[in-house]
Every structure is written in C-alpha cells, then in structure tokens.
Amino acid sequence: AGLATQLDDRLDAALAESAALRRVDARVADDLAAQEVALRSSGPQSSATGGAQAATVVTRPSTPSGGAGPSMSRPTTPTTTTRPPQPTAPPTTRPPMSAPPGTTPPATLPGLITWSDVVKVGGIWVNKSIASNVAALLDAARAAGINLSGGGYRDPAGQIAVRMANCGTSDYAIYQMPASQCIPPTARPGTSMHERGLAMDLQSSGRLITSRSDPAFVWLAANAARFGFYNLPSEPWHWSTNGS
C-alpha cells in the first residue's frame, strides 16, 4: 500500500509537469505521458492490495475542434494500482484541458449550495445560516472604527474561474492539483468554504487585508471568534466558520 501511494505521488507530479510542458513542447509532453504509462504498468498488482478494485486511467480529452495542436490521448488500459476514493471528487464531466476562462461548470456538486441559499449582509453574500453572525461581526467592527466589506459566496463556476487564474487551465490544474501548488493557494472545486457560503475574504475600508499587522486583522484576531469566525493562517483576509 505504501508503494502504491508513492507511485501515485510520482504520477501526479508527472501529470503536473506534462500539463506545464504542453504549452512549450507537445512532443516532450507526449514523452512524459509515455513514461507515466510505463510506470503504471510496472506498479504493484491489485492482488497485493487485498483484491481491491483497480482504477481505470482517465483519458485526457483532445484539443477542442478548431484549437491548435495535435490530439493527445492517454491509453485506457486499466491500472493495477488501487487509489482510495476522494470525498470531494470532481465531476465526471469536465471541460477540455485547454478550456478557456468562463467555462460552464458541470452539474451542482454534492454538499454545495446555490444562490437561493445565500443572502447579502453588509454587501457580502453569505449562507443564510450565518447571516446574523456576519451582521453582528460587521456592526461590532464598525463600532470599533473598522469598516469591513468583501466577498463571500462563490458558486462552482466562480471557483473554477479562480482555479484557472491561480493554478492553470489544464484539467489537472483545475480539478486535481493540490491547493498549495497554486499562487495563491486555492481550494479545488467542490472543497472551498466559499462554495458553501461559510467563508469571507475581508477588506478594510475597501482594501484587502493582506497583513497581520493591519489594524483590521488585529481586531478580527481578538474578536472574530466571538461571532464564530476563524482565520486561515496563510491568508490574513480569509475568515470562515472552521478556519479553512
């Protein structure tokens, strides 16, 4: 099982490198894809994992009709490596690897909410379940001389657009690449607290809170928990109901 995990990590890295090289040299990308197939074929047998069902290699979609570059597809031979199911797996229908910004997302993902589940509080769209908490937080901040605003709920299309801007436009970059590899770190579609209306990217007097020395951050660090909001350590502006 440990060997299978290591192999998957190496394959994920190869996929990321292949996607990056696609724009530079399609031939090199094909070579990397071929190396990946070779690695998969030499991986541990499914019998070594207790007879668990083997996963099937996903076929990379070809360049859309009219797009530049050759069609690039991976073999569809089943792999012998078992990979645990992902709780927030991306939808089975995905945009092409070279999908342009604004691609319409697939069907609503499990556990997410829609615009009918949110309400605007102080200019911030949030889940109706926390509307009173947000209102109380904004009122308390205003009383302390801090004018908070910002963004809250983000629908699936919005999350995909953010991933494309911060992570890349390939299928791998949008749906699979670890959030930490994006600049800035950005959650995969279906996993963001913004998509549940339970997170806010806060501004102070119209400016994003980017420093922990910002008076607004200092105040939030001392008071936000009273209203049920916690900071994501890597992003001074990001506050959610669970700190993620």
Side-chain angles (χ1 to χ4, degrees), residues 151-176:
Y153 173 65
R154 187 182 297 149
D155 63 17
Q159 189 65 26
I160 289 174
V162 172
R163 282 281 293 193
M164 294 176 81
N166 298 343
C167 311
T169 59
S170 71
D171 181 80
Y172 172 78
I174 296 171
Y175 293 102
Q176 300 177 45

Side-chain angles (χ1 to χ4, degrees), residues 18 21-22 25-37 60 70-74:
S18 178
L21 287 173
R22 172 184 291 273
D25 193 325
R27 184 173 181 179
V28 174
D30 281 338
D31 289 343
L32 286 174
Q35 291 175 24
E36 178 190 345
V37 173
R60 284 188 295 178
S71 171
M72 301 173 65
S73 298
R74 255 193 265 155

Side-chain angles (χ1 to χ4, degrees), residues 125-217:
W125 289 98
V126 296
N127 193 307
K128 292 177 180 178
S129 65
I130 64 169
S132 59
N133 300 66
V134 174
L137 173 70
L138 299 182
D139 288 343
R142 190 176 301 109
I146 297 172
N147 183 24
L148 295 178
S149 60
Y153 173 65
R154 187 182 297 149
D155 63 17
Q159 189 65 26
I160 289 174
V162 172
R163 282 281 293 193
M164 294 176 81
N166 298 343
C167 311
T169 59
S170 71
D171 181 80
Y172 172 78
I174 296 171
Y175 293 102
Q176 300 177 45
M177 191 163 73
S180 60
Q181 294 183 15
C182 303
I183 303 175
T186 306
R188 294 191 305 274
T191 68
S192 172
M193 291 295 283
H194 283 288
E195 293 173 275
R196 289 157 176 77
L198 301 177
M200 300 178 289
D201 288 340
L202 294 177
Q203 301 175 0
S204 175
S205 298
R207 299 178 61 182
L208 191 67
I209 303 172
T210 58
S211 171
R212 290 175 172 273
S213 62
D214 188 306
F217 179 88

Side-chain angles (χ1 to χ4, degrees), residues 79-163:
T79 112
T80 56
T81 304
T82 300
R83 189 168 188 172
Q86 300 298 318
T88 55
T92 55
T93 301
R94 299 175 180 171
M97 293 191 71
S98 57
T103 298
T104 301
T108 302
L109 300 174
L112 302 188
I113 64 174
T114 66
W115 285 101
S116 63
D117 301 305
V118 297
V119 63
K120 203 170 189 178
V121 179
I124 306 173
W125 289 98
V126 296
N127 193 307
K128 292 177 180 178
S129 65
I130 64 169
S132 59
N133 300 66
V134 174
L137 173 70
L138 299 182
D139 288 343
R142 190 176 301 109
I146 297 172
N147 183 24
L148 295 178
S149 60
Y153 173 65
R154 187 182 297 149
D155 63 17
Q159 189 65 26
I160 289 174
V162 172
R163 282 281 293 193

Side-chain angles (χ1 to χ4, degrees), residues 130 133 137 198 223-230 239-243:
I130 64 169
N133 300 66
L137 173 70
L198 301 177
N223 296 277
R226 292 193 290 118
F227 305 95
F229 297 101
Y230 306 89
W239 296 80
S240 69
T241 57
N242 64 359

